[in-house]
Amino acid sequence: MKTFFSKIADTLRRAPRWIYIALALALALIFPMLESWGLMETLWLRVGTRALVYVLLAVGLNLVLGETGLLHLGYVAFWAIGAYTTAILSSPRTARLLYMVQEHGIGKALTTVTQRTMQIPEELIGFHIGFGWVLLIAVLIAMLFGFILGIPTLRLRGDYLAIVTLAFGEITRITFNNWEPVTNGPGGIPGIMPPNIFGWVVDKPGEFFYLLLIVVVIVVWLLNNLKNSRIGRAWNALREDEIAAHHAGVHSTRVKMLAVVLSAGIAGLAGAIFGYYQQFINPQYFPFMQSTIIVCMVVLGGMGSIPGAIVGAVALDTLPEVIRQTFTKWLPDAFGPDFLPGVQAAVQTDFDRYRMLIFGFVVVLMVVFRPEGLLPNKLWRRETHEVDPREQEQTRQHLFDLEEGHPDLEA
């Protein structure tokens, strides 16, 4: 006999998909208004805006990891490329570089562009390229680097591919850290101009939230159509069995390259908007651990599932702040300021040390109790919960003693 909760679960499972999409969009549209209505702190609006950046990164990595089955551990490099493209093209450093090129040539400009006291003509102050062009350039540069990375690496598989992509991510970060004439090294690039979209200057967290929401909706819609197309089925075929897909007529290298290039472009787009939002970029934003976190988002949500990648990104990005607020504000407000004082101090001062431990614990629990993810793809759900009859019969054959004529163990 079904319990009350199982009936609710069955009802929710049978509900049309468009209901969940409409509800999610409605909640997203209302979310920034809570801050203006005084029902939410600005902190949570900033957290939500940052979560949308990770949503873009998660759905982009899902294209490679979930749809095609390629383990990419250097995905943060494309994010950094998009962010630095915005920083270089939309900051006062561009004006300095243009002025030095005009006055002294390219060679002199690249060696003295870091001088902040130089006098710049008024017509060059605040010069920056338009928002649409910056996004286009950032996406194209990220896709170009994705293509360059894919040429020598797509012949690799498994751990070898993961190691090469990891190295690419670290090489990119170290390059930005050491290329001081262009990136200002560890000091980063400050003063990034806010985007101007047909007279709309986007310079507030709520405005960035709506801008990112529009971009996320467009990207998800395009990826969902691509997933259900012939190209999407080719990606899934390569993930399941590359040899069989090759003999079925799938050009594996070409199809993999398309996935890597599109995924890199999405990361470049996320990095470009992230640069505008932060108004300051330096290499510390893009360590290897960020790639690991994005991989955890895809795995937690469900590999091969676009809704799963979205839920995984939102859950993992907001989880640290929820834990921090729980132990430093909500519980002390409810039970008094002396409630768990040691835990409060540890969370306030050393929380970054424990954040990855919490992520690891969450991922382990998911692998044990729900290996297919929070919102899994239908194929992944079947693979994790169903037993292949051929494997079951093979197990029974191994456990059957043919000489004695009776089973020693029952499978």
Side-chain angles (χ1 to χ4, degrees):
M1 184 176 179
K2 290 186 176 181
T3 63
F4 174 74
F5 294 104
S6 63
K7 292 181 180 179
I8 294 178
D10 291 339
T11 303
L12 294 176
R13 195 178 297 115
R14 289 194 298 267
R17 186 178 180 183
W18 66 266
I19 294 180
Y20 295 105
I21 296 175
L23 180 61
L25 287 176
L27 292 175
L29 290 172
I30 295 173
F31 181 73
M33 300 178 187
L34 299 178
E35 189 262 344
S36 60
W37 295 340
L39 301 176
M40 180 181 66
E41 298 179 2
T42 306
L43 167 68
W44 291 107
L45 182 56
R46 295 183 180 277
V47 171
T49 304
R50 186 186 61 197
L52 287 180
V53 175
Y54 280 103
V55 166
L56 277 177
L57 294 170
V59 297
L61 182 61
N62 181 65
L63 193 63
V64 173
L65 180 61
E67 299 292 344
T68 316
L70 303 176
L71 181 56
H72 198 312
L73 294 182
Y75 194 63
V76 71
F78 304 119
W79 184 24
I81 290 170
Y84 267 98
T85 301
T86 294
I88 292 171
L89 298 180
S90 302
S91 71
R93 289 178 57 83
T94 304
R96 295 188 179 91
L97 180 59
L98 290 175
Y99 176 68
M100 291 303 299
V101 169
Q102 178 182 342
E103 295 293 324
H104 305 287
I106 296 178
K108 183 70 173 179
L110 292 179
T111 57
T112 60
V113 69
T114 56
Q115 298 178 7
R116 299 175 182 269
T117 59
M118 133 189 359
Q119 296 295 323
I120 306 175
E122 292 184 1
E123 62 269 17
L124 288 179
I125 295 178
F127 171 84
H128 60 285
I129 299 175
F131 174 71
W133 287 108
V134 170
L135 290 190
L136 179 61
I137 294 171
V139 170
L140 291 178
I141 293 177
M143 293 174 72
L144 175 62
F145 276 94
F147 180 77
I148 294 173
L149 175 66
I151 292 174
T153 60
L154 289 183
R155 299 178 183 272
L156 304 176
R157 299 180 184 177
D159 299 339
Y160 299 102
L161 177 63
I163 292 172
V164 172
T165 54
L166 186 156
F168 172 73
E170 286 299 290
I171 290 170
T172 303
R173 182 184 63 83
I174 293 172
T175 300
F176 287 138
N177 190 69
N178 296 333
W179 199 10
E180 292 194 9
V182 177
T183 65
N184 199 30
I189 302 178
I192 299 174
M193 306 292 179
N196 190 324
I197 308 173
F198 302 110
W200 174 37
V201 179
V202 183
D203 56 358
K204 297 180 178 61
E207 295 173 346
F208 272 105
F209 182 91
Y210 283 120
L211 174 62
L212 279 164
L213 182 62
I214 293 171
V215 174
V216 166
V217 169
I218 294 173
V219 170
V220 168
W221 178 75
L222 292 174
L223 289 180
N224 187 65
N225 286 312
L226 196 59
K227 176 184 174 70
N228 297 323
S229 68
R230 182 177 180 181
I231 296 175
R233 291 191 292 271
W235 286 334
N236 295 160
L238 286 174
R239 181 190 66 199
E240 299 301 321
D241 192 329
E242 184 173 346
I243 297 177
H246 176 74
H247 287 286
V250 176
H251 195 293
S252 59
T253 303
R254 188 180 304 165
V255 172
K256 286 181 182 179
M257 181 66 76
L258 179 61
V260 171
V261 169
L262 290 178
S263 176
I266 295 173
L269 177 62
I273 302 177
F274 178 74
Y276 278 121
Y277 176 64
Q278 292 293 123
Q279 298 183 346
F280 170 76
I281 291 297
N282 75 346
Q284 294 182 358
Y285 285 117
F286 313 105
F288 162 71
M289 198 56 65
Q290 289 289 354
S291 290
T292 305
I293 292 173
I294 300 170
V295 170
C296 291
M297 291 174 178
V298 177
V299 174
L300 176 68
M303 292 199 298
S305 170
I306 295 176
I310 296 173
V311 171
V314 173
L316 276 189
D317 186 61
T318 57
L319 178 64
E321 194 59 41
V322 170
I323 295 174
R324 186 183 287 111
Q325 292 291 317
T326 299
F327 288 99
T328 61
K329 185 176 181 181
W330 297 336
L331 290 179
D333 290 347
F335 298 99
D338 296 331
F339 180 76
L340 300 176
V343 176
Q344 293 181 42
V347 170
Q348 288 177 342
T349 59
D350 299 325
F351 182 73
D352 286 340
R353 297 183 181 181
Y354 306 110
R355 185 178 64 161
M356 293 311 300
L357 178 63
I358 295 172
F359 282 171
F361 182 69
V362 170
V363 171
V364 169
L365 289 179
M366 287 298 302
V367 170
V368 173
F369 296 104
R370 194 174 175 83
E372 71 275 17
L374 294 173
L375 293 177
N377 180 274
K378 293 181 180 180
L379 182 61
W380 282 94
R381 184 188 292 117
R382 289 198 300 267
E383 289 180 351
T384 53
H385 288 283
E386 293 183 1
V387 179
D388 189 341
R390 293 170 297 181
E391 294 181 359
Q392 187 175 16
E393 181 62 26
Q394 186 178 9
T395 303
R396 294 177 63 89
Q397 290 292 335
H398 282 297
L399 297 177
F400 196 91
D401 191 339
L402 297 178
E403 295 183 357
E404 295 293 335
H406 60 83
D408 293 330
L409 295 173
E410 183 66 20

